[in-house]
Amino acid sequence: MPYPEKFTGFQVESPETWTEFHKNEFQPKPFGDYDVDIKIEACGVCGSDVHTINGGWGEQHFPLAVGHEIVGTAIRVGPKVSLIKEGQRVGVGAQSYSCLDCRQCKNDNETYCRKQLDTYGAKWPETGIISQGGYSSHVRTHEHWVFPIPDGLATHEAAPMLCAGLTAYSPLVRNGCGPGKKVGIVGIGGIGHFGVLFAKALGAEVWAISRSHAKEEDARKLGADGFIATGDKDWAKPHDMTFDLIINTANSFEGFDLSAYLSLLDVHGRWVSVGLPEGDGLSIRNQDFLSNGCFIGSSHLGSRKETLAMLQLAADKGIHPWIEQVPIGADNLSKTLQRLHKNDVHYRFCLTNYDDVFGQ
Amino acid sequence: MPYPEKFTGFQVESPETWTEFHKNEFQPKPFGDYDVDIKIEACGVCGSDVHTINGGWGEQHFPLAVGHEIVGTAIRVGPKVSLIKEGQRVGVGAQSYSCLDCRQCKNDNETYCRKQLDTYGAKWPETGIISQGGYSSHVRTHEHWVFPIPDGLATHEAAPMLCAGLTAYSPLVRNGCGPGKKVGIVGIGGIGHFGVLFAKALGAEVWAISRSHAKEEDARKLGADGFIATGDKDWAKPHDMTFDLIINTANSFEGFDLSAYLSLLDVHGRWVSVGLPEGDGLSIRNQDFLSNGCFIGSSHLGSRKETLAMLQLAADKGIHPWIEQVPIGADNLSKTLQRLHKNDVHYRFCLTNYDDVFGQ
């Protein structure tokens, strides 16, 4: 296995040309004592990838290879690495750095560290190098954000768990999802379908909540105990004040009647949004929260500890996300990102066949 | 003590004439087996009273006597009353009915019962009678919403606790206010000054948060450990991610930068709004909650159990709210409600001298 001096990735040059991918070499950050070099074998395709390259989330550093649901093989570990062994199958998600020293980091809240850096598109403070993601041959990552993948999980199924899966899993466990709880998952897409899978695996009564009945059969196959279509007349009434927790994965606020959703919540129940829609927000009044004293908030990824627990739960319970595998390449990336932009996926793409374009 | 067939109150006829109070007789609801008749001795003047009579909260039933921070003497108790004794000094707050049978009622969440009725302005289901508040000679209330006042509390100090006090107290205790917690109180007014008093009595580190430094001295006298003026440059930075809980009592969203306030919260910290500003709401984006995974919500009054605990805490700790006493009467009500409308009060009015206008 020849070891490259530079890594190679499929980069986008600008938001105006976000459907064009160019295979370029790029310089990774210098190899640190705690770093792990990973030869990538698969990478999930996340909604964030589209929001980033098409300019929907604002200015970014280009050229850029996105992708932050990475699984591959650790081919080199730094002298102080203790969590990862060379040769191990490992994953990297959407976060690749935090200070590991502040109160947040020391309380398993490293995702909320003020110094956190993203796996792609972040500027490394010391060198100014822009981090590049998993649409690439290799990734170089501090061991804290490198996760051993349990044997029971297929590579293409584990990869999408590292952002979409964790984004659903962390707010579920942090907000009491478990036996005896009624949990709603709004939006059955990449994150939402993991929400149904994990909420069920954690023992809750799970309801999928979608605009129409189009995904009802899918939701039930994923394990949902019930299904609510918000296009139906008086859809909220039968569930008035019965949900303990709702995870909102919706990617758009168009036609969104937040008050109706909040009426589903029990006293002090929680509405946790994990999508980051482009554009303007929603108008809220204190009165919207008054009839049940509910709370709304967001959640950002999850901790290393939660990532490891999620992967183990998935392996133990035999959880199988619905993944469409796509061999990586410039044409396939263009087609796949455009399909994702139109939500034409049930429910996650995963890029594979890395050896075909990057070599053995 | 002659017992009236009808009660008498100072009523407003319409929002257009909200500064004119007319002393009228009115018919209370029929006396029920669990009801208590109370001869009123004092009543706090709540912001809700202004919002209701001036039309700011929308249509109401007129003529209407407002007032829902009532203390007086129980002069008659129904045959099934077990919680209150005739002759006892008692209080009534802003809520006067719920079903006492649903899951919310059985979990000390009667304030969130779907059948809850307000002390004034509510239509009683069986008779259509509109409930009248404490700007009146008497009030007739189910014993569940009648609270014995501990001996240690002065009548004019206990009355404002029954809405303003409880509105601050309940979200404090429900969200973990206590030793080791850093708690913010936004808005030093009727509710906010109780927030400082109770948060301190509960053992938290308490910070008053106000637009200017005008109320800093008052806040420190009330017991605040610190003071933040949001008019100061970079006011939020020194407190970034340090608050566990913030109770927002602000009565207006004018010039309100919610994101800056939310940046004060620790990971998963909570922002609980208890004011109900008139007019439009705030625009929020999921991104506003992302850097700390915080939650925002509202809180509505509190339970009977919490009311009794609050009154006992106030008596035990010798808590003295800052109350300006005003003898009840048409002229004084007009002046007092207009002063409250301009926030010209430090920090609560309480109507007294009821015997002078309603007789012994």
Side-chain angles (χ1 to χ4, degrees), chain B residues 27-104:
Chain B
Q27 182 68 49
K29 69 177 176 120
F31 190 78
D33 286 351
Y34 291 96
D35 279 345
V36 178
D37 277 354
I38 299 159
K39 185 176 183 301
I40 301 177
E41 287 157 27
C43 183
V45 178
C46 179
S48 308
D49 300 353
V50 175
H51 292 301
T52 299
I53 60 178
N54 77 359
W57 280 352
E59 284 193 26
Q60 308 289 337
H61 300 287
F62 290 96
L64 184 64
V66 293
H68 56 207
E69 299 182 333
I70 301 168
V71 172
T73 302
I75 56 172
R76 180 186 177 198
V77 304
K80 294 187 177 165
V81 166
S82 65
L83 304 173
I84 304 295
K85 289 188 174 42
E86 210 178 290
Q88 204 168 15
R89 187 173 60 142
V90 295
V92 171
Q95 183 178 0
S96 284
Y97 181 80
S98 77
C99 77
L100 296 181
D101 196 40
C102 68
R103 194 161 50 97
Q104 282 70 41

Side-chain angles (χ1 to χ4, degrees), chain A residues 215-226:
Chain A
K215 293 177 178 171
E216 177 160 2
E217 198 183 326
D218 285 1
R220 292 190 186 275
K221 280 184 194 160
L222 286 163
D225 300 288

Side-chain angles (χ1 to χ4, degrees), chain A residues 43-44 46-49 52 57 66-71 91-98 110-111 116-122 124 131-134 139 141 144-147 158-167 191 276 300-303 307 310 348, chain B residues 290:
Chain A
C43 183
C46 179
S48 308
D49 300 352
T52 298
W57 281 351
V66 294
H68 56 206
E69 299 181 333
I70 301 167
V71 172
V92 172
Q95 183 177 0
S96 285
Y97 180 81
S98 77
E110 64 268 36
T111 184
Q116 78 98 28
L117 292 178
D118 294 337
T119 293
Y120 61 72
W124 287 97
S131 62
Q132 303 289 317
V139 67
T141 309
H144 186 85
W145 290 275
V146 180
F147 314 109
M161 291 183 189
L162 296 169
C163 176
L166 184 62
T167 296
I191 301 172
L276 292 174
H300 185 216
L301 297 172
S303 66
T307 308
M310 170 192 70
R348 201 71 166 181
Chain B
L290 200 67

Side-chain angles (χ1 to χ4, degrees), chain A residues 56-57 103-104 109 111-114 174-175 240-242 244 248 250 253 258 263-268 270-300, chain B residues 56-57 103-104 109 111-114 174-175 240-242 244 248 250 253 258 263-268 270-300:
Chain A
W57 281 351
R103 194 160 51 96
Q104 282 71 42
N109 286 320
T111 184
Y112 300 106
C113 172
R114 285 294 193 235
R174 289 186 178 214
N175 292 287
D240 187 58
M241 288 185 92
T242 60
D244 297 286
N248 170 34
F253 284 139
L258 182 63
S263 74
L264 303 177
L265 288 168
D266 198 3
V267 175
H268 305 321
R270 299 189 197 175
W271 167 270
V272 183
S273 291
V274 297
L276 292 174
E278 302 174 4
D280 291 338
L282 282 173
S283 179
I284 56 155
R285 301 177 71 211
N286 295 353
Q287 283 83 342
D288 296 335
F289 304 86
L290 200 67
S291 69
N292 51 9
C294 66
F295 288 93
I296 70 170
S298 293
S299 170
H300 185 216
Chain B
W57 280 352
R103 194 161 50 97
Q104 282 70 41
N109 285 319
T111 185
Y112 299 106
C113 171
R114 284 293 194 236
R174 288 185 179 215
N175 293 288
D240 187 58
M241 287 186 91
T242 61
D244 298 288
N248 169 34
F253 283 139
L258 182 63
S263 75
L264 303 177
L265 289 169
D266 197 3
V267 174
H268 306 320
R270 299 189 196 175
W271 167 270
V272 183
S273 291
V274 297
L276 292 174
E278 303 175 3
D280 291 338
L282 283 173
S283 179
I284 56 156
R285 301 177 72 213
N286 295 352
Q287 283 83 340
D288 296 334
F289 305 87
L290 200 67
S291 69
N292 53 7
C294 66
F295 287 94
I296 70 170
S298 293
S299 170
H300 185 216

Side-chain angles (χ1 to χ4, degrees), chain B residues 301-319:
Chain B
L301 297 172
S303 66
R304 174 181 179 82
K305 197 179 272 188
E306 285 166 338
T307 308
L308 299 176
M310 168 191 70
L311 293 169
Q312 197 57 54
L313 179 75
D316 292 347
K317 298 264 184 180
I319 289 175

Side-chain angles (χ1 to χ4, degrees), chain B residues 113-349:
Chain B
C113 171
R114 284 293 194 236
K115 296 182 177 168
Q116 78 98 26
L117 293 178
D118 293 337
T119 292
Y120 61 73
K123 186 180 272 190
W124 287 95
E126 64 276 27
T127 59
I129 285 176
I130 304 303
S131 61
Q132 302 289 317
Y135 296 7
S136 306
S137 62
H138 299 78
V139 67
R140 176 170 291 167
T141 309
H142 185 291
E143 63 170 344
H144 186 85
W145 289 275
V146 180
F147 315 110
I149 307 294
D151 286 342
L153 290 180
T155 292
H156 70 281
E157 292 183 339
M161 291 182 190
L162 297 168
C163 176
L166 185 63
T167 296
Y169 177 85
S170 174
L172 287 171
V173 296
R174 288 185 179 215
N175 293 288
C177 176
K181 297 299 172 86
K182 184 173 175 182
V183 173
I185 306 291
V186 174
I188 307 307
I191 300 171
H193 102 289
F194 274 114
V196 174
L197 290 167
F198 285 130
K200 192 68 196 167
L202 290 164
E205 176 189 339
V206 184
W207 287 71
I209 305 174
S210 190
R211 296 191 188 231
S212 75
H213 287 273
K215 293 178 179 171
E216 178 160 3
E217 197 183 327
D218 285 1
R220 292 191 188 272
K221 281 185 195 158
L222 286 163
D225 300 288
F227 189 89
I228 298 172
T230 61
D232 290 352
K233 190 163 182 288
D234 295 334
W235 61 272
K237 279 192 187 166
H239 300 277
D240 187 58
M241 287 186 91
T242 61
F243 279 87
D244 298 288
L245 171 65
I246 299 177
I247 306 293
N248 169 34
T249 76
N251 212 359
S252 158
F253 283 139
E254 212 180 308
F256 208 83
D257 179 2
L258 182 63
S259 295
Y261 289 93
L262 297 186
S263 75
L264 303 177
L265 289 169
D266 197 3
V267 174
H268 306 320
R270 299 189 196 175
W271 167 270
V272 183
S273 291
V274 297
L276 292 174
E278 303 175 3
D280 291 338
L282 283 173
S283 179
I284 56 156
R285 301 177 72 213
N286 295 352
Q287 283 83 340
D288 296 334
F289 305 87
L290 200 67
S291 69
N292 53 7
C294 66
F295 287 94
I296 70 170
S298 293
S299 170
H300 185 216
L301 297 172
S303 66
R304 174 181 179 82
K305 197 179 272 188
E306 285 166 338
T307 308
L308 299 176
M310 168 191 70
L311 293 169
Q312 197 57 54
L313 179 75
D316 292 347
K317 298 264 184 180
I319 289 175
H320 296 289
W322 293 14
I323 306 298
E324 181 176 337
Q325 297 183 62
V326 179
I328 191 168
D331 280 358
N332 274 353
L333 283 168
S334 180
K335 285 179 203 154
T336 302
L337 276 279
Q338 289 179 74
R339 281 186 58 196
L340 180 57
H341 190 52
K342 293 182 292 187
N343 286 319
D344 174 20
V345 56
H346 295 252
Y347 285 95
R348 200 72 166 178
F349 294 114

